[in-house]
Amino acid sequence: MAAFRNSLGLRAGLLSLLIFVGIVAFWQIATTPTAGTGPALDPEYAKLLGAAAASGTKSAMPTPADIGTTIWKHLVDPFYIRGSNDKGIGIQLAYSLGRVLLGFALAALVAVPLGFLIGMSPLIYRALDPFIQILKPVSPLAWMPLALYTIKDSAISSIFVIFICSVWPMLINTAFGVASVRREWLNVARTLEVGPFRTAFRVILPAAAPTIMTGMRISIGIAWLVIVAAEMLVGGTGIGYFVWNEWNNLSIANIVTAILLIGLVGLALDQGLAWLARLVTYPE
Amino acid sequence: MERPLISVEGLARRFGDSAQPAVFEDIWFGVERGEFLCLIGHSGCGKTTILNVLAGLDRPSAGAVIVDNLEIDGPSLDRAVIFQGHALLPWLSVMGNIAFAVSSRWPKWDRTRVQDHARRFIELVGLKGAEGKKPSQLSGGMKQRVGIARALSIQPKMLLMDEPFSALDALTRGMLQDEVLRICADTNQTVFMITHDVDEAILLADKIVLMTNGPGAKIAEIVVNTMPRNERHRNDLHKHPQYYAIRNHLVEFLVNRSRAFDQEIAGGGYDPRRLKLVKPGLMSVKLAAVNPPAEVVTLTTGRRQ
Ligand SMILES: Nc1ncnc2c1ncn2[C@@H]1O[C@H](COP(=O)(O)OP(=O)(O)OP(=O)(O)O)[C@@H](O)[C@H]1O
Ligand SMILES: [Mg+2]
């Protein structure tokens, strides 16, 4: 008992469990079909939702049990392919993840060296600053039409959109990290007559690595947010397309499943980068 | 005229535009081969700035530093620096920090050779067993030792030290001073060291350069430490017959003359290119012989017994 009272983790875990149970119970009560007295729907909305809701016998909102079965169904067979519009949720997630990782990797390839340059040279910093300031706040989706027009390929266009949205945090953080490397560390390298490349890789890169990793963590978070919207726009494959498709099928249970999985994958990406960041962080 | 190993000639440094007063101006002094020279002066007078110029990390606004008859135009592995803050790379271990210096000095050496060499210097400063530790896991004194080991490991022609012991407690400071003294004597290092500490200067230095307060700081004079190296021991330094005379001279300078030096030289006779070499230690012995003051008598007799 004393151990329980002392362990914050244990108590927080129990509270989380209680909140979860509460939500599920509320949900269950709210979605339990009440024969005959269906929710009074706005006719426009009812038309949109289609027959199931309009009939009023059953809410379009699935019960927690429905969701449970749907999740189970997806989990036991995540990678099936039954035609171009009916692929397992695992496959759709893999498409999205692939695009995000590819766009992110390309962005890192551009942002880290360019950030190095900006951080080392006040001239280049000043010259590029107006471009960065104007382009950074633009929603990445605003690039989509331009990308579709020039690239003429929806898959590559969505990778480009990921690239564009992940490039800024990495670029800015790299430049900042490089510019704020302690003068005395650089002086150590200078008194040892270390050449510019060795200084870049042995002193500046490790010194700026924690800041760069923070930028990468922000980037991958944004990229995972953006990919869902991008795939809703371009269609075809991916978890964003899946969500949109299930909306058209009015399968709320599938949508909720997708939401949970998107959250979990986002969490995993974030934790993965947090782990990498811890590897390169040094205490001073 | 033959030049000393390090020759500082007409050095001036001002920050900002030329309307700003110079931090120091018209600085001339030399460091002979094998000599241990201390620069003493108040905080902010420009000591670190001079050291940075000697190291090649900073450029003077006027004048030059000639080393081995060549004007320096950048940092060199011949001149190792021990920084005021220890300046260790925090992501590298003790071994990593020193190996980085060693492999910069001898780029062709393989890994084992670099590590063997580094290990020798880690042992020299008494850090055996701490090779794998990161700087954040070390005490202040240990960090400073790593800095010293790093500077020595590249086997430089001269050492430039910026208040290397000022952040340490008295006991650690004493130990490290002894070590540095021993190492410098063994390898006949030429050393330029900055300090605030009068006793440290008397213990370590062969010559003590006195710098006046800035802006527009000058070198007032050079005090020759007439106490021979083998008679300077940390624990009974104060028993040496010359000690109080030298100490009083230095303290008098720091307390009064460093501030009012411009008035002192107003009458003329000061030439920054030909600085007075003063030997307060010998003065005291002569004075003591003619007209012995009580304090000196007890000290000298105490010594002679
Ligand atoms: N980069 C710089 N820009 C402008 N002024 C500077 C710069 N570096 C030093 N100064 C000025 O030059 C003067 C001398 O500084 P310096 O660091 O050489 O002093 P110091 O004698 O080493 O002092 P301390 O004993 O406290 O270390 C100070 O007044 C300082 O404000
Ligand atoms: Mg200083």
Side-chain angles (χ1 to χ4, degrees), chain B residues 3-9 29-31 64-67:
Chain B
R3 279 206 174 100
L5 179 61
I6 305 176
S7 174
V8 175
E9 305 187 355
F29 67 90
V31 190
V65 178
I66 319 282
V67 173

Side-chain angles (χ1 to χ4, degrees), chain A residues 116 173-174 176-178 181 203-213 282, chain B residues 91:
Chain A
F116 243 80
N173 270 49
T174 306
F176 176 74
V178 168
V181 172
V203 179
I204 300 175
L205 190 62
T211 322
I212 297 175
M213 289 307 302
Y282 50 87
Chain B
W91 56 89

